[in-house]
Amino acid sequence: MKKLPRKIITRVLLYIRTLESLIKEKRFLVSSKQLSEITGLSDVKIRKDISNFKKIGKPRIGYKTLDLKRTLENYLIQGNTVRVVLFGAGNLGSAILRYPGFRKGNVRLVAAFDALRRKTGKKVGGVHIYPVERSPEIIRRCRADIGIIAVPKEHAQEVADFMVLSGLHRIINFAPCPISVPAKVQVRNIDFTIEFLSLFCDTQK
Amino acid sequence: MKKLPRKIITRVLLYIRTLESLIKEKRFLVSSKQLSEITGLSDVKIRKDISNFKKIGKPRIGYKTLDLKRTLENYLIQGNTVRVVLFGAGNLGSAILRYPGFRKGNVRLVAAFDALRRKTGKKVGGVHIYPVERSPEIIRRCRADIGIIAVPKEHAQEVADFMVLSGLHRIINFAPCPISVPAKVQVRNIDFTIEFLSLFCDTQK
DNA sequence: TAGATTGTTAATCGATTAACAATC
DNA sequence: TAGATTGTTAATCGATTAACAATC
């Protein structure tokens, strides 16, 4: 199956979540029109997205929620599970650790690290918190792909260096400061202010 | 000045942040090429974006960082300050409250609410935490536009109802569950898993 | 002047929407 | 059969990139 652009993947994840809640309500059939009403996306777009997979809907009937969910998930799962590690078990870190979406599905939070002794050794949201010195070993062992920086900005660069040393190639940086890394490492800076403002800038369907 | 699409606004915010750090390093001139290297966006795109404002660069020289920053900020500020209130001062809520970007600029976090007595009456990140019952009064008084839900999912719907009653028209929901609101209220659900996965799905410049 | 960089116009690319045939 | 809904092809729309004239 061909690689789909990010925009479509994002919508596919939304479809899956929507289907989950439909299934929970024991609704086993759904039309693109109904999905459109729930998600706010246009029905044509939904059908177009779904048609990337295989003929799975029945004209006049719609889609079987269970089948559709399985098909979409299969596509994502074959695209390998993404293993994520977290640096910093403070407020933001703990919120991320407790987030239920990271326990199943194809994005897994596999380990967390903190510099403070009183935070390590525990589990939060089912994820172990290790002392930060152990990160190279643990990251290698669990073959993590992505690292999240959720430490105070004073330590962001330090942690980033450590992540690169540990072999991570992709970093999501929540610290409100830029970090410098070798060119081969991909960084996404998350600026809450930017994200928020842009959330409501457009009126696109 | 015409209204710009969200995509461009998001980039403008990134330019501002980049300019800030250049200014901090006492660099007062910058070319689109240099901005391109820092931000990872193409130089043409950057020039095109900037040309939405006014002729502000000098061929052969580049842009004055101070002037450019001021021009971009003026555009955003004339688009009115967005006043945001937060419901839930737990882990995620505290992380948001401490986020420095919300103290200045045109997205302001003006008040927070929590149901637990031991959290209220304090200030976190310079923002007052009030008992949740006071939200209608306070939201009206400070004319807030947007509310953030950062409470456990069991209380998300309850809080959403309260927000609607308090007169908020736009809600950002971090609770991992759908909420139902009247049609006139705009909801953005933030699913960390979705956001994360899609962050690294594409390779677009 | 020569060369570099801006700002703009035209061309390309991709994503969304419209239209419609296929099908249950 | 008639009507509703899928899936696809063509048309539209918007955003990015290429090309280049203007200018310092």
Side-chain angles (χ1 to χ4, degrees):
Chain A
M1 162 103 32
K2 66 173 178 294
K3 201 165 185 296
L4 297 176
R6 167 171 154 184
K7 280 201 159 184
I8 297 181
I9 304 245
T10 306
R11 292 198 296 261
V12 165
L13 286 156
L14 176 61
Y15 302 149
I16 291 175
R17 198 173 55 173
T18 307
L19 289 165
E20 271 168 3
S21 78
L22 287 172
I23 290 166
K24 206 173 279 177
E25 295 167 19
K26 306 237 179 296
R27 291 180 56 187
F28 298 110
L29 280 174
V30 71
S31 71
S32 55
K33 188 102 172 291
Q34 293 167 325
L35 284 173
S36 164
E37 274 153 25
I38 300 172
T39 60
L41 304 167
S42 81
D43 58 333
V44 194
K45 200 188 279 180
I46 292 172
R47 286 202 300 282
K48 193 91 196 277
D49 285 346
I50 291 173
S51 73
N52 281 295
F53 301 94
K54 59 180 177 182
K55 282 194 193 180
I56 194 175
K58 288 254 190 325
R60 188 68 229 272
I61 311 286
Y63 303 92
K64 289 187 184 168
T65 50
L66 288 163
D67 288 359
L68 182 54
K69 173 163 168 281
R70 187 159 350 106
T71 305
L72 300 181
E73 281 179 338
N74 282 346
Y75 172 79
L76 292 179
I77 286 163
Q78 81 167 32
N80 298 330
T81 307
V82 177
R83 284 172 298 277
V84 180
V85 294
L86 173 75
F87 284 74
N91 278 315
L92 179 60
S94 302
I96 293 172
L97 286 168
R98 292 215 175 84
Y99 197 76
F102 289 117
R103 296 186 204 167
K104 62 191 183 79
N106 57 329
V107 182
R108 295 276 171 91
L109 202 37
V110 291
F113 304 98
D114 203 287
L116 299 175
R117 271 282 166 279
R118 68 184 155 83
K119 301 224 172 173
T120 60
K122 286 188 276 185
K123 269 190 169 189
V124 173
V127 179
H128 245 104
I129 304 175
Y130 300 96
V132 71
E133 313 87 66
R134 294 193 58 197
S135 72
E137 163 217 341
I138 290 167
I139 286 171
R140 215 149 302 166
R141 211 178 53 205
C142 63
R143 287 173 303 129
D145 307 300
I146 298 182
I148 301 172
I149 300 181
V151 300
K153 68 168 180 292
E154 298 76 38
H155 300 115
Q157 183 60 56
E158 202 178 312
V159 164
D161 295 340
F162 220 78
M163 289 165 117
V164 174
L165 270 167
S166 305
L168 291 174
H169 288 269
R170 300 194 284 187
I171 295 177
I172 297 177
N173 177 29
F174 278 98
C177 66
I179 53 171
S180 54
V181 293
K184 59 171 182 180
V185 178
Q186 208 181 336
V187 177
R188 256 300 293 247
N189 291 296
I190 309 287
D191 182 320
F192 267 129
T193 327
I194 293 187
E195 306 294 331
F196 273 69
L197 189 61
S198 58
L199 279 178
F200 288 113
C201 275
D202 66 353
T203 49
Q204 203 205 355
K205 244 244 163 176
Chain B
M1 161 102 32
K2 66 174 178 291
K3 203 166 183 297
L4 298 175
R6 168 171 154 182
K7 279 202 159 182
I8 297 182
I9 303 246
T10 306
R11 291 197 298 261
V12 166
L13 286 155
L14 177 60
Y15 301 149
I16 291 177
R17 198 173 54 173
T18 307
L19 290 165
E20 270 167 3
S21 78
L22 287 171
I23 290 166
K24 206 174 278 177
E25 295 167 19
K26 306 237 180 294
R27 289 180 57 187
F28 299 110
L29 280 174
V30 70
S31 71
S32 55
K33 189 102 172 290
Q34 293 167 326
L35 284 173
S36 163
E37 274 153 25
I38 301 171
T39 60
L41 304 166
S42 82
D43 58 334
V44 195
K45 200 189 279 180
I46 291 171
R47 285 202 300 281
K48 194 89 196 277
D49 285 346
I50 291 174
S51 73
N52 281 294
F53 302 94
K54 59 180 177 182
K55 281 195 192 177
I56 193 175
K58 289 253 190 322
R60 189 67 229 273
I61 310 285
Y63 303 92
K64 289 188 185 168
T65 50
L66 288 164
D67 288 359
L68 183 53
K69 173 164 169 279
R70 186 158 354 104
T71 304
L72 300 181
E73 281 179 337
N74 281 346
Y75 172 78
L76 292 180
I77 286 163
Q78 78 165 34
N80 298 330
T81 307
V82 177
R83 284 173 297 277
V84 181
V85 294
L86 172 76
F87 284 74
N91 279 314
L92 180 60
S94 303
I96 293 172
L97 286 169
R98 293 213 174 84
Y99 197 76
F102 289 118
R103 294 185 207 167
K104 60 189 185 81
N106 56 328
V107 184
R108 295 275 171 92
L109 202 37
V110 291
F113 304 98
D114 203 288
L116 299 175
R117 272 283 166 277
R118 68 183 156 84
K119 301 224 172 174
T120 60
K122 285 189 278 185
K123 269 190 169 190
V124 173
V127 178
H128 245 102
I129 303 175
Y130 299 97
V132 72
E133 314 86 67
R134 295 194 55 198
S135 72
E137 163 216 341
I138 290 166
I139 286 171
R140 216 150 300 165
R141 211 178 52 205
C142 63
R143 287 174 303 130
D145 308 300
I146 299 181
I148 301 172
I149 300 180
V151 300
K153 67 169 181 291
E154 298 76 38
H155 300 115
Q157 183 60 56
E158 201 178 312
V159 165
D161 295 340
F162 220 76
M163 289 164 116
V164 174
L165 270 168
S166 306
L168 291 174
H169 288 269
R170 302 195 283 188
I171 295 176
I172 298 177
N173 177 29
F174 279 96
C177 66
I179 53 171
S180 54
V181 293
K184 58 170 182 178
V185 179
Q186 208 182 338
V187 176
R188 256 300 293 248
N189 292 296
I190 308 288
D191 183 320
F192 268 129
T193 327
I194 293 186
E195 306 294 331
F196 273 69
L197 188 62
S198 57
L199 279 179
F200 289 113
C201 275
D202 66 353
T203 49
Q204 202 207 354
K205 246 244 164 175

